[in-house]
Amino acid sequence: MPELPEVEVTRRSFADRIALARITALHMGKPLRWPLGVEPASLVGRQVVGVRRRGKYLLLDLDTGLLLLHLGMSGSLNFAPTQPEPGPHDHMDLVTDRGVLRLHDPRRFGAVVWASSEFAPEAQKLLGHLGVEPLDGQFDPDAFAQALKKRQAAIKQVLLAGDVVVGVGNIYASEALFMAGIRPTTPACRISRPRAARLHAAIVQVLSRAVQQGGSSLKDFVNAEGRTGYFQLEAAVYGRAAAPCRVCSTPIRSMLQGQRTTFYCPTCQKP
Ligand SMILES: [Zn+2]
């Protein structure tokens, strides 16, 4: 599943090239997770002002309104001067005078949604509950520590919920908790301030590093320029069940937590 770093890498791969492009057509394929919410033809002639990211949503700002794009479980975006004929898994072509932005999404959990503004109900329904962004100045260690004090759920579940801090998915939550030495099952409210500060730093570090490296968790993730990311080659715990911990050599354990697999080192990570 594309996580925040993959979405950010995707954004960077085409944001500059699509800026100021004029939309000449929008072709939608099979139904996605949510309907577009507008007649595709009504977007013809609009200009793309820029591309922002909020959580795992890409916000394609137009001169009037915006398109919210989500990659779902298996989506990828590719922006190219021209595209071959759409295949069975290509469900959106946004045709502009600078190239064609194509959504490829075999499982169709992705979405392309029109909103008249970021603050309109149709956008707020998707963006309104999101926590702070981990990679900009709003993510504050003290506020993070205080937010954790109010939650009784396991820390990993709290991270995945995305309402304290957004975009820390399964892989990066496992990695950040390892880096901070915190067992994924520890109740969030029992994490002391110094440990919360370590976790805060670990989240920022693991996500920034993944973005820098072209971030990938998904085997078939390809960014909009067609290059695959390689974060998974460096994972400390994720996907390494029974392999020796890179720090202490204890075999890494895996367990199911809220139907997602969690990986941790029973020695390095304390409850
Ligand atoms: Zn260890």
Side-chain angles (χ1 to χ4, degrees):
M1 184 186 308
E3 296 200 29
L4 182 147
E6 288 80 4
V7 178
E8 177 60 20
V9 168
T10 298
R11 187 190 72 78
R12 292 182 186 184
S13 69
F14 75 95
D16 289 347
R17 291 184 293 141
I18 206 172
L20 305 183
R22 189 71 66 178
I23 296 172
T24 55
L26 173 59
H27 304 298
M28 300 298 296
K30 293 195 189 106
L32 295 166
R33 183 161 179 190
W34 300 297
L36 178 64
V38 74
E39 270 304 310
S42 70
L43 301 184
V44 171
R46 295 205 183 154
Q47 196 172 35
V48 178
V49 178
V51 189
R52 292 177 292 147
R53 182 187 55 74
R54 181 73 181 96
K56 297 206 288 182
Y57 288 92
L58 288 177
L59 281 58
L60 212 70
D61 286 307
L62 308 181
D63 47 7
T64 319
L66 72 160
L67 287 170
L68 291 134
L69 278 70
H70 197 286
L71 301 178
M73 303 286 285
S74 60
S76 59
L77 286 167
N78 176 282
F79 185 68
T82 58
Q83 296 279 9
E85 279 297 297
H89 301 305
D90 296 324
H91 305 300
M92 178 205 75
D93 275 354
L94 181 73
V95 186
T96 76
D97 58 3
R98 296 204 168 176
V100 183
L101 184 65
R102 171 168 287 180
L103 174 67
H104 177 82
D105 187 1
R107 297 181 63 182
R108 289 196 282 130
F109 283 106
V112 182
V113 174
W114 156 259
S116 56
S117 99
E118 189 182 342
F119 306 102
E122 62 271 24
Q124 281 300 305
K125 198 172 69 182
L126 306 178
L127 306 175
H129 64 286
L130 298 179
V132 298
E133 284 291 328
L135 295 182
D136 69 20
Q138 303 166 32
F139 188 36
D140 172 70
D142 292 332
F144 179 60
Q146 279 167 23
L148 295 188
K149 284 284 168 216
K150 295 178 192 142
R151 307 292 286 269
Q152 272 144 38
I155 180 60
K156 179 154 179 273
Q157 299 308 107
V158 170
L159 293 178
L160 291 189
D163 53 351
V164 171
V165 56
V166 83
V168 188
N170 200 33
I171 295 173
Y172 300 110
S174 294
E175 292 295 305
L177 286 165
F178 173 78
M179 218 182 270
I182 298 170
R183 193 80 61 90
T185 46
T186 307
C189 57
R190 281 215 235 129
I191 294 176
S192 68
R193 216 174 173 84
R195 297 181 94 200
R198 277 206 297 279
L199 180 56
H200 174 276
I203 289 168
V204 171
Q205 194 185 331
V206 75
L207 290 175
S208 318
R209 193 180 66 184
V211 169
Q212 238 168 36
Q213 292 180 339
S216 189
S217 47
L218 187 71
K219 283 192 298 294
D220 57 348
F221 170 79
V222 177
N223 74 21
E225 284 177 333
R227 292 194 299 250
T228 51
Y230 49 88
F231 175 80
Q232 58 187 354
L233 300 179
E234 279 202 356
V237 288
Y238 188 85
R240 298 192 66 242
C245 171
R246 298 195 203 279
V247 173
C248 73
S249 300
T250 305
I252 298 298
R253 283 193 197 156
S254 71
M255 59 173 284
L256 266 185
Q257 211 181 356
Q259 297 173 330
R260 309 294 299 276
T261 311
T262 292
F263 299 87
Y264 67 98
C265 171
T267 305
C268 294
Q269 294 175 258
K270 311 288 184 210

mmCIF file with all atom_site columns, all heavy atoms in Angstrom, residues 30-35 57 70 72 105 108-112:
data_model
loop_
_atom_site.group_PDB
_atom_site.id
_atom_site.type_symbol
_atom_site.label_atom_id
_atom_site.label_alt_id
_atom_site.label_comp_id
_atom_site.label_asym_id
_atom_site.label_entity_id
_atom_site.label_seq_id
_atom_site.pdbx_PDB_ins_code
_atom_site.Cartn_x
_atom_site.Cartn_y
_atom_site.Cartn_z
_atom_site.occupancy
_atom_site.B_iso_or_equiv
_atom_site.pdbx_formal_charge
_atom_site.auth_seq_id
_atom_site.auth_comp_id
_atom_site.auth_asym_id
_atom_site.auth_atom_id
_atom_site.pdbx_PDB_model_num
ATOM 1   N N   . LYS A 1 30  ? -13.212 2.593  -15.071 1.00 0.00 ? 30  LYS A N   1
ATOM 2   C CA  . LYS A 1 30  ? -14.150 1.887  -14.186 1.00 0.00 ? 30  LYS A CA  1
ATOM 3   C C   . LYS A 1 30  ? -14.313 2.666  -12.876 1.00 0.00 ? 30  LYS A C   1
ATOM 4   O O   . LYS A 1 30  ? -13.435 3.434  -12.489 1.00 0.00 ? 30  LYS A O   1
ATOM 5   C CB  . LYS A 1 30  ? -13.607 0.492  -13.872 1.00 0.00 ? 30  LYS A CB  1
ATOM 6   C CG  . LYS A 1 30  ? -13.576 -0.435 -15.075 1.00 0.00 ? 30  LYS A CG  1
ATOM 7   C CD  . LYS A 1 30  ? -13.389 -1.884 -14.620 1.00 0.00 ? 30  LYS A CD  1
ATOM 8   C CE  . LYS A 1 30  ? -13.136 -2.793 -15.803 1.00 0.00 ? 30  LYS A CE  1
ATOM 9   N NZ  . LYS A 1 30  ? -11.723 -3.205 -15.880 1.00 0.00 ? 30  LYS A NZ  1
ATOM 10  N N   . PRO A 1 31  ? -15.440 2.453  -12.172 1.00 0.00 ? 31  PRO A N   1
ATOM 11  C CA  . PRO A 1 31  ? -15.675 3.192  -10.928 1.00 0.00 ? 31  PRO A CA  1
ATOM 12  C C   . PRO A 1 31  ? -14.558 2.960  -9.914  1.00 0.00 ? 31  PRO A C   1
ATOM 13  O O   . PRO A 1 31  ? -14.062 1.846  -9.754  1.00 0.00 ? 31  PRO A O   1
ATOM 14  C CB  . PRO A 1 31  ? -16.987 2.610  -10.400 1.00 0.00 ? 31  PRO A CB  1
ATOM 15  C CG  . PRO A 1 31  ? -17.641 1.963  -11.570 1.00 0.00 ? 31  PRO A CG  1
ATOM 16  C CD  . PRO A 1 31  ? -16.541 1.543  -12.496 1.00 0.00 ? 31  PRO A CD  1
ATOM 17  N N   . LEU A 1 32  ? -14.169 4.023  -9.232  1.00 0.00 ? 32  LEU A N   1
ATOM 18  C CA  . LEU A 1 32  ? -13.160 3.956  -8.183  1.00 0.00 ? 32  LEU A CA  1
ATOM 19  C C   . LEU A 1 32  ? -13.886 3.953  -6.836  1.00 0.00 ? 32  LEU A C   1
ATOM 20  O O   . LEU A 1 32  ? -15.083 3.753  -6.768  1.00 0.00 ? 32  LEU A O   1
ATOM 21  C CB  . LEU A 1 32  ? -12.182 5.125  -8.322  1.00 0.00 ? 32  LEU A CB  1
ATOM 22  C CG  . LEU A 1 32  ? -11.355 5.078  -9.619  1.00 0.00 ? 32  LEU A CG  1
ATOM 23  C CD1 . LEU A 1 32  ? -10.669 6.409  -9.882  1.00 0.00 ? 32  LEU A CD1 1
ATOM 24  C CD2 . LEU A 1 32  ? -10.321 3.954  -9.551  1.00 0.00 ? 32  LEU A CD2 1
ATOM 25  N N   . ARG A 1 33  ? -13.113 4.203  -5.759  1.00 0.00 ? 33  ARG A N   1
ATOM 26  C CA  . ARG A 1 33  ? -13.709 4.119  -4.426  1.00 0.00 ? 33  ARG A CA  1
ATOM 27  C C   . ARG A 1 33  ? -14.868 5.105  -4.220  1.00 0.00 ? 33  ARG A C   1
ATOM 28  O O   . ARG A 1 33  ? -15.846 4.779  -3.575  1.00 0.00 ? 33  ARG A O   1
ATOM 29  C CB  . ARG A 1 33  ? -12.615 4.367  -3.397  1.00 0.00 ? 33  ARG A CB  1
ATOM 30  C CG  . ARG A 1 33  ? -13.105 4.227  -1.988  1.00 0.00 ? 33  ARG A CG  1
ATOM 31  C CD  . ARG A 1 33  ? -11.951 4.013  -1.054  1.00 0.00 ? 33  ARG A CD  1
ATOM 32  N NE  . ARG A 1 33  ? -12.409 3.902  0.305   1.00 0.00 ? 33  ARG A NE  1
ATOM 33  C CZ  . ARG A 1 33  ? -11.593 3.899  1.337   1.00 0.00 ? 33  ARG A CZ  1
ATOM 34  N NH1 . ARG A 1 33  ? -10.297 4.001  1.143   1.00 0.00 ? 33  ARG A NH1 1
ATOM 35  N NH2 . ARG A 1 33  ? -12.050 3.792  2.554   1.00 0.00 ? 33  ARG A NH2 1
ATOM 36  N N   . TRP A 1 34  ? -14.696 6.327  -4.738  1.00 0.00 ? 34  TRP A N   1
ATOM 37  C CA  . TRP A 1 34  ? -15.765 7.326  -4.670  1.00 0.00 ? 34  TRP A CA  1
ATOM 38  C C   . TRP A 1 34  ? -15.948 7.938  -6.051  1.00 0.00 ? 34  TRP A C   1
ATOM 39  O O   . TRP A 1 34  ? -14.997 8.010  -6.829  1.00 0.00 ? 34  TRP A O   1
ATOM 40  C CB  . TRP A 1 34  ? -15.414 8.437  -3.674  1.00 0.00 ? 34  TRP A CB  1
ATOM 41  C CG  . TRP A 1 34  ? -15.192 7.946  -2.292  1.00 0.00 ? 34  TRP A CG  1
ATOM 42  C CD1 . TRP A 1 34  ? -16.103 7.328  -1.468  1.00 0.00 ? 34  TRP A CD1 1
ATOM 43  C CD2 . TRP A 1 34  ? -13.968 8.010  -1.537  1.00 0.00 ? 34  TRP A CD2 1
ATOM 44  N NE1 . TRP A 1 34  ? -15.520 7.013  -0.261  1.00 0.00 ? 34  TRP A NE1 1
ATOM 45  C CE2 . TRP A 1 34  ? -14.217 7.415  -0.273  1.00 0.00 ? 34  TRP A CE2 1
ATOM 46  C CE3 . TRP A 1 34  ? -12.696 8.522  -1.799  1.00 0.00 ? 34  TRP A CE3 1
ATOM 47  C CZ2 . TRP A 1 34  ? -13.234 7.313  0.714   1.00 0.00 ? 34  TRP A CZ2 1
ATOM 48  C CZ3 . TRP A 1 34  ? -11.722 8.413  -0.821  1.00 0.00 ? 34  TRP A CZ3 1
ATOM 49  C CH2 . TRP A 1 34  ? -11.998 7.818  0.421   1.00 0.00 ? 34  TRP A CH2 1
ATOM 50  N N   . PRO A 1 35  ? -17.155 8.422  -6.361  1.00 0.00 ? 35  PRO A N   1
ATOM 51  C CA  . PRO A 1 35  ? -17.365 9.055  -7.670  1.00 0.00 ? 35  PRO A CA  1
ATOM 52  C C   . PRO A 1 35  ? -16.651 10.399 -7.769  1.00 0.00 ? 35  PRO A C   1
ATOM 53  O O   . PRO A 1 35  ? -16.352 11.043 -6.758  1.00 0.00 ? 35  PRO A O   1
ATOM 54  C CB  . PRO A 1 35  ? -18.882 9.229  -7.750  1.00 0.00 ? 35  PRO A CB  1
ATOM 55  C CG  . PRO A 1 35  ? -19.370 9.133  -6.346  1.00 0.00 ? 35  PRO A CG  1
ATOM 56  C CD  . PRO A 1 35  ? -18.375 8.350  -5.558  1.00 0.00 ? 35  PRO A CD  1
ATOM 57  N N   . TYR A 1 57  ? -3.386  12.097 0.544   1.00 0.00 ? 57  TYR A N   1
ATOM 58  C CA  . TYR A 1 57  ? -4.106  12.689 -0.584  1.00 0.00 ? 57  TYR A CA  1
ATOM 59  C C   . TYR A 1 57  ? -3.196  13.647 -1.345  1.00 0.00 ? 57  TYR A C   1
ATOM 60  O O   . TYR A 1 57  ? -2.443  14.402 -0.737  1.00 0.00 ? 57  TYR A O   1
ATOM 61  C CB  . TYR A 1 57  ? -5.320  13.483 -0.113  1.00 0.00 ? 57  TYR A CB  1
ATOM 62  C CG  . TYR A 1 57  ? -6.445  12.607 0.387   1.00 0.00 ? 57  TYR A CG  1
ATOM 63  C CD1 . TYR A 1 57  ? -6.528  12.276 1.731   1.00 0.00 ? 57  TYR A CD1 1
ATOM 64  C CD2 . TYR A 1 57  ? -7.392  12.100 -0.489  1.00 0.00 ? 57  TYR A CD2 1
ATOM 65  C CE1 . TYR A 1 57  ? -7.551  11.450 2.193   1.00 0.00 ? 57  TYR A CE1 1
ATOM 66  C CE2 . TYR A 1 57  ? -8.413  11.280 -0.034  1.00 0.00 ? 57  TYR A CE2 1
ATOM 67  C CZ  . TYR A 1 57  ? -8.484  10.959 1.301   1.00 0.00 ? 57  TYR A CZ  1
ATOM 68  O OH  . TYR A 1 57  ? -9.487  10.139 1.753   1.00 0.00 ? 57  TYR A OH  1
ATOM 69  N N   . HIS A 1 70  ? -6.314  9.882  -4.501  1.00 0.00 ? 70  HIS A N   1
ATOM 70  C CA  . HIS A 1 70  ? -5.827  8.938  -3.497  1.00 0.00 ? 70  HIS A CA  1
ATOM 71  C C   . HIS A 1 70  ? -5.419  7.659  -4.213  1.00 0.00 ? 70  HIS A C   1
ATOM 72  O O   . HIS A 1 70  ? -6.111  7.212  -5.125  1.00 0.00 ? 70  HIS A O   1
ATOM 73  C CB  . HIS A 1 70  ? -6.917  8.650  -2.460  1.00 0.00 ? 70  HIS A CB  1
ATOM 74  C CG  . HIS A 1 70  ? -6.386  8.033  -1.198  1.00 0.00 ? 70  HIS A CG  1
ATOM 75  N ND1 . HIS A 1 70  ? -5.977  6.717  -1.136  1.00 0.00 ? 70  HIS A ND1 1
ATOM 76  C CD2 . HIS A 1 70  ? -6.164  8.558  0.019   1.00 0.00 ? 70  HIS A CD2 1
ATOM 77  C CE1 . HIS A 1 70  ? -5.546  6.466  0.097   1.00 0.00 ? 70  HIS A CE1 1
ATOM 78  N NE2 . HIS A 1 70  ? -5.647  7.565  0.815   1.00 0.00 ? 70  HIS A NE2 1
ATOM 79  N N   . GLY A 1 72  ? -5.125  4.653  -2.874  1.00 0.00 ? 72  GLY A N   1
ATOM 80  C CA  . GLY A 1 72  ? -5.755  3.437  -2.363  1.00 0.00 ? 72  GLY A CA  1
ATOM 81  C C   . GLY A 1 72  ? -4.741  2.388  -1.961  1.00 0.00 ? 72  GLY A C   1
ATOM 82  O O   . GLY A 1 72  ? -3.724  2.688  -1.345  1.00 0.00 ? 72  GLY A O   1
ATOM 83  N N   . ASP A 1 105 ? -4.600  1.483  -11.298 1.00 0.00 ? 105 ASP A N   1
ATOM 84  C CA  . ASP A 1 105 ? -5.041  1.017  -9.981  1.00 0.00 ? 105 ASP A CA  1
ATOM 85  C C   . ASP A 1 105 ? -5.778  -0.314 -10.096 1.00 0.00 ? 105 ASP A C   1
ATOM 86  O O   . ASP A 1 105 ? -7.004  -0.360 -10.186 1.00 0.00 ? 105 ASP A O   1
ATOM 87  C CB  . ASP A 1 105 ? -5.955  2.088  -9.346  1.00 0.00 ? 105 ASP A CB  1
ATOM 88  C CG  . ASP A 1 105 ? -6.315  1.745  -7.907  1.00 0.00 ? 105 ASP A CG  1
ATOM 89  O OD1 . ASP A 1 105 ? -5.847  0.708  -7.389  1.00 0.00 ? 105 ASP A OD1 1
ATOM 90  O OD2 . ASP A 1 105 ? -7.080  2.514  -7.304  1.00 0.00 ? 105 ASP A OD2 1
ATOM 91  N N   . ARG A 1 108 ? -8.591  -0.804 -7.470  1.00 0.00 ? 108 ARG A N   1
ATOM 92  C CA  . ARG A 1 108 ? -9.610  0.255  -7.527  1.00 0.00 ? 108 ARG A CA  1
ATOM 93  C C   . ARG A 1 108 ? -10.090 0.750  -6.161  1.00 0.00 ? 108 ARG A C   1
ATOM 94  O O   . ARG A 1 108 ? -11.260 1.043  -5.972  1.00 0.00 ? 108 ARG A O   1
ATOM 95  C CB  . ARG A 1 108 ? -10.796 -0.188 -8.392  1.00 0.00 ? 108 ARG A CB  1
ATOM 96  C CG  . ARG A 1 108 ? -10.401 -0.219 -9.865  1.00 0.00 ? 108 ARG A CG  1
ATOM 97  C CD  . ARG A 1 108 ? -11.605 -0.261 -10.777 1.00 0.00 ? 108 ARG A CD  1
ATOM 98  N NE  . ARG A 1 108 ? -12.205 -1.571 -10.871 1.00 0.00 ? 108 ARG A NE  1
ATOM 99  C CZ  . ARG A 1 108 ? -13.497 -1.821 -10.716 1.00 0.00 ? 108 ARG A CZ  1
ATOM 100 N NH1 . ARG A 1 108 ? -14.345 -0.844 -10.457 1.00 0.00 ? 108 ARG A NH1 1
ATOM 101 N NH2 . ARG A 1 108 ? -13.947 -3.038 -10.824 1.00 0.00 ? 108 ARG A NH2 1
ATOM 102 N N   . PHE A 1 109 ? -9.171  0.803  -5.173  1.00 0.00 ? 109 PHE A N   1
ATOM 103 C CA  . PHE A 1 109 ? -9.492  1.455  -3.912  1.00 0.00 ? 109 PHE A CA  1
ATOM 104 C C   . PHE A 1 109 ? -9.056  2.924  -3.955  1.00 0.00 ? 109 PHE A C   1
ATOM 105 O O   . PHE A 1 109 ? -9.214  3.653  -2.995  1.00 0.00 ? 109 PHE A O   1
ATOM 106 C CB  . PHE A 1 109 ? -8.821  0.755  -2.731  1.00 0.00 ? 109 PHE A CB  1
ATOM 107 C CG  . PHE A 1 109 ? -9.502  -0.513 -2.332  1.00 0.00 ? 109 PHE A CG  1
ATOM 108 C CD1 . PHE A 1 109 ? -8.940  -1.747 -2.636  1.00 0.00 ? 109 PHE A CD1 1
ATOM 109 C CD2 . PHE A 1 109 ? -10.711 -0.472 -1.654  1.00 0.00 ? 109 PHE A CD2 1
ATOM 110 C CE1 . PHE A 1 109 ? -9.575  -2.926 -2.269  1.00 0.00 ? 109 PHE A CE1 1
ATOM 111 C CE2 . PHE A 1 109 ? -11.348 -1.650 -1.287  1.00 0.00 ? 109 PHE A CE2 1
ATOM 112 C CZ  . PHE A 1 109 ? -10.787 -2.876 -1.591  1.00 0.00 ? 109 PHE A CZ  1
ATOM 113 N N   . GLY A 1 110 ? -8.432  3.308  -5.050  1.00 0.00 ? 110 GLY A N   1
ATOM 114 C CA  . GLY A 1 110 ? -8.012  4.695  -5.214  1.00 0.00 ? 110 GLY A CA  1
ATOM 115 C C   . GLY A 1 110 ? -9.213  5.581  -5.530  1.00 0.00 ? 110 GLY A C   1
ATOM 116 O O   . GLY A 1 110 ? -10.344 5.101  -5.646  1.00 0.00 ? 110 GLY A O   1
ATOM 117 N N   . ALA A 1 111 ? -8.968  6.874  -5.646  1.00 0.00 ? 111 ALA A N   1
ATOM 118 C CA  . ALA A 1 111 ? -10.082 7.787  -5.903  1.00 0.00 ? 111 ALA A CA  1
ATOM 119 C C   . ALA A 1 111 ? -9.603  9.069  -6.569  1.00 0.00 ? 111 ALA A C   1
ATOM 120 O O   . ALA A 1 111 ? -8.453  9.486  -6.386  1.00 0.00 ? 111 ALA A O   1
ATOM 121 C CB  . ALA A 1 111 ? -10.803 8.129  -4.601  1.00 0.00 ? 111 ALA A CB  1
ATOM 122 N N   . VAL A 1 112 ? -10.503 9.648  -7.338  1.00 0.00 ? 112 VAL A N   1
ATOM 123 C CA  . VAL A 1 112 ? -10.312 10.985 -7.912  1.00 0.00 ? 112 VAL A CA  1
ATOM 124 C C   . VAL A 1 112 ? -11.615 11.720 -7.618  1.00 0.00 ? 112 VAL A C   1
ATOM 125 O O   . VAL A 1 112 ? -12.678 11.295 -8.069  1.00 0.00 ? 112 VAL A O   1
ATOM 126 C CB  . VAL A 1 112 ? -10.088 10.925 -9.437  1.00 0.00 ? 112 VAL A CB  1
ATOM 127 C CG1 . VAL A 1 112 ? -9.836  12.325 -9.985  1.00 0.00 ? 112 VAL A CG1 1
ATOM 128 C CG2 . VAL A 1 112 ? -8.942  9.984  -9.789  1.00 0.00 ? 112 VAL A CG2 1
#
